[in-house]
Amino acid sequence: MESVDIREMSGLALAYLGDTVWETQVRLYWVKKGFNISHLNYKVKKFVNAKAQSHYYQLLKEELSEEENAIMRRAKNANIRSFPKSCSNQEYREATAFEAILGAWFLQGEIDKIQAFANRILEKE
């Protein structure tokens, strides 16, 4: 993978990537568990939404380095132009921050961090 300086990337670009990274991790976890398609969709929706991701943001922010928290702050404070009605603006901003750190980890090759966090969350289910 080409080297990218994540400090120069926008928080929203990192979140855009992180959204896919998170959904892929969640889907992969449940597919490996052997669920059929209708159950897969139900399971994935439960973990891939702004309210849930806002909660994951709260869990992660205490565990991260100052540099990682700076990435999340940058995404959380980004100029987001529209918000869904399914959550509060604050929850959406926190979900964006959560996705941004996943995008950053992905670009840094920290797949093990992503998988460890996903497993920690998903195994509680």
Side-chain angles (χ1 to χ4, degrees):
M1 184 180 301
E2 184 179 320
S3 178
V4 178
D5 187 356
I6 59 170
R7 293 172 297 178
E8 294 184 14
M9 290 187 72
S10 83
L12 293 180
L14 290 170
Y16 179 78
L17 179 60
D19 178 52
T20 296
V21 170
W22 180 245
E23 185 163 352
T24 300
Q25 285 299 310
V26 173
R27 286 180 180 219
L28 182 59
Y29 180 87
W30 293 114
V31 164
K32 286 180 178 181
K33 294 289 183 184
F35 286 93
N36 65 30
I37 294 299
S38 63
H39 284 105
L40 284 172
N41 196 41
Y42 170 77
K43 291 284 192 184
V44 170
K45 280 183 174 183
K46 192 172 178 181
F47 295 93
V48 181
N49 65 70
K51 281 188 178 284
Q53 291 174 339
S54 171
H55 176 69
Y56 308 147
Y57 163 84
Q58 296 296 330
L59 295 174
L60 264 183
K61 73 179 183 176
E62 302 301 322
E63 303 173 8
L64 300 180
S65 69
E66 183 53 42
E67 183 180 333
E68 291 168 323
N69 273 308
I71 291 166
M72 290 206 315
R73 258 191 320 278
R74 192 168 73 232
K76 185 178 174 189
N77 295 329
N79 187 16
I80 301 171
R81 298 182 193 269
S82 64
F83 296 90
K85 294 178 182 171
S86 60
C87 64
S88 71
N89 292 1
Q90 182 67 20
E91 287 170 325
Y92 193 73
R93 287 185 178 283
E94 291 172 351
T96 301
F98 170 73
E99 292 170 344
I101 196 59
L102 295 178
W105 284 346
F106 181 80
L107 289 172
Q108 292 172 325
E110 299 279 357
I111 306 305
D112 56 329
K113 278 186 176 181
I114 297 166
Q115 290 172 335
F117 184 77
N119 288 338
R120 191 172 101 201
I121 294 301
L122 297 168
E123 286 172 0
K124 289 181 180 178
E125 178 60 18

